[in-house]
Amino acid sequence: MAPYLFIAPFVITLLAFWAVPLVRSVVMSTQQVLYGDATFIGATNYERLWNDRVFWQALFNSVRYMVLTLVLLIPIPMILAAIINSRIGSARIKALFKASMFVPALTSVVVAGIIFRLMFSETESGLINQVVTFFGLDPVRWLREDVPGLVALLALAMWRYTGVNIMYFLAGMQSIPTEYYEAASLDGAGRVQQFFRITIPNLKPTIIYVMTISIYGGLAMFLESFMLYAGNNSPNNQGLTVVGYLYRKGVEENDLGFASAVGVVLLVVVMTINITNLTLSGTFRKEANR
């Protein structure tokens, strides 16, 4: 009984907080739920979702945010991790840099969102607008327009998650045998060549892992946008995400059946992208060969 007792907490947690809610959500997505009364309506919620322009805008916002976070939060932390892992510079300074970069991950998203909302205020007294006007440019209405609002969201993501990804990449780099770099140095390879020929190929499992969790994190982003825009109603829905749309329908409008359909579609989108990514990267093929 010992093995079963050891895995029991995980199995119970998985069933109680993932499997059962997932099945219940799929069932509710085919129902009209009003004040505890559920009526089966088939695929009506999915038909409404297909014809809902706001949902497609929310999905576009989430996918755009996810793609841009992948572009920013994989190469930049990887390069910073390579610099920290190198023999260049003082070990104490690099240790201080690592600690300072990881601190934002320990900060509450609520607090960070409020701070960034004040920083990106459209008034001239906002910190970012003070920097903009210092260079002779006009103040920007950061949270009133689409692209500046996206820049604010990406700045918050960079500030919060760069340090976390640095730790992932640094752990992967420290597992690469130093003999590889010594042999490359003897063959005359420079640091840039070593980075592209040794570091990146050996970091492939770490890159795939970071990409997988970043895809999920980007598509499931909600609280950052909610706090940055001080609510779930951004101008022209420019900050509305899929999870924010689910929250609007399920919590604010009490349309739980339709919100469940949104959640099921989001799950399908996330799983499709991640399974495609893992298949193309050869992850499943490696598992089969073991």
Side-chain angles (χ1 to χ4, degrees):
M1 293 296 296
Y4 300 100
L5 291 175
F6 281 121
I7 67 172
F10 169 76
V11 173
I12 294 172
T13 303
L14 181 67
L15 292 175
F17 297 103
W18 194 84
V20 173
L22 176 60
V23 174
R24 181 60 180 149
S25 295
V26 174
V27 173
M28 288 177 60
S29 69
T30 62
Q31 298 174 335
Q32 183 180 18
V33 183
L34 293 174
Y35 305 105
D37 295 330
T39 305
F40 179 77
I41 57 175
T44 302
N45 286 326
Y46 293 98
E47 293 175 1
R48 287 177 54 196
L49 196 61
W50 179 262
N51 297 316
D52 194 327
R53 180 185 59 82
V54 179
F55 166 75
W56 290 107
Q57 182 179 355
L59 182 60
F60 170 76
N61 292 339
S62 294
V63 172
R64 179 179 61 173
Y65 174 83
M66 180 266 293
V67 171
L68 291 176
T69 52
L70 290 177
V71 171
L72 295 173
L73 286 173
I74 289 182
I76 295 177
M78 189 190 305
I79 294 173
L80 293 175
I83 295 173
I84 294 173
N85 193 50
S86 67
R87 298 177 181 177
I88 302 175
S90 169
R92 291 183 178 181
I93 294 177
K94 289 192 287 187
L96 178 63
F97 178 76
K98 283 193 297 182
S100 63
M101 291 298 293
F102 192 75
V103 167
L106 306 177
T107 307
S108 168
V109 181
V110 175
V111 175
I114 294 173
I115 292 174
F116 271 76
R117 187 199 313 160
L118 297 174
M119 288 172 54
F120 284 92
S121 172
E122 62 183 84
T123 62
E124 294 184 2
S125 60
L127 177 61
I128 305 301
N129 271 340
Q130 289 185 29
V131 175
V132 169
T133 54
F134 176 79
F135 289 99
L137 302 175
D138 295 329
V140 180
R141 303 176 65 194
W142 291 101
L143 302 181
R144 297 289 179 179
E145 299 176 6
D146 184 30
V147 175
L150 179 61
V151 171
L153 274 175
L154 293 174
L156 175 56
M158 287 289 295
W159 176 82
R160 183 168 175 78
Y161 298 110
T162 298
V164 178
N165 288 356
I166 286 176
M167 295 302 172
Y168 287 137
F169 288 123
L170 192 59
M173 290 176 185
Q174 291 177 348
S175 66
I176 301 174
T178 57
E179 291 81 1
Y180 294 173
Y181 296 100
E182 293 173 357
S185 298
L186 292 176
D187 289 339
R191 295 187 181 276
V192 176
Q193 290 178 309
Q194 293 177 22
F195 178 75
F196 284 101
R197 299 294 180 88
I198 298 176
T199 304
I200 292 181
N202 284 278
L203 272 183
K204 185 178 179 181
T206 306
I207 295 173
I208 294 172
Y209 172 75
V210 173
M211 186 177 296
T212 302
I213 62 175
S214 297
I215 290 172
Y216 164 76
L219 291 175
M221 187 272 291
F222 165 64
L223 192 54
E224 290 89 341
S225 176
F226 187 87
M227 296 309 304
L228 190 65
Y229 286 98
N232 203 30
N233 295 307
S234 56
N236 299 318
N237 292 317
Q238 66 184 39
L240 182 66
T241 64
V242 177
V243 179
Y245 186 66
L246 186 154
Y247 178 85
R248 175 185 294 179
K249 291 297 181 180
V251 178
E252 297 176 352
E253 299 180 8
N254 198 32
D255 193 351
L256 295 178
F258 187 76
S260 297
V262 176
V264 172
V265 170
L266 176 60
L267 174 64
V268 171
V269 171
V270 172
M271 292 295 292
T272 301
I273 295 176
N274 269 329
I275 290 175
T276 302
N277 173 47
L278 294 174
T279 301
L280 294 177
S281 63
T283 301
F284 294 139
R285 186 167 58 251
K286 292 179 182 178
E287 293 292 337
N289 293 335
R290 289 180 181 176

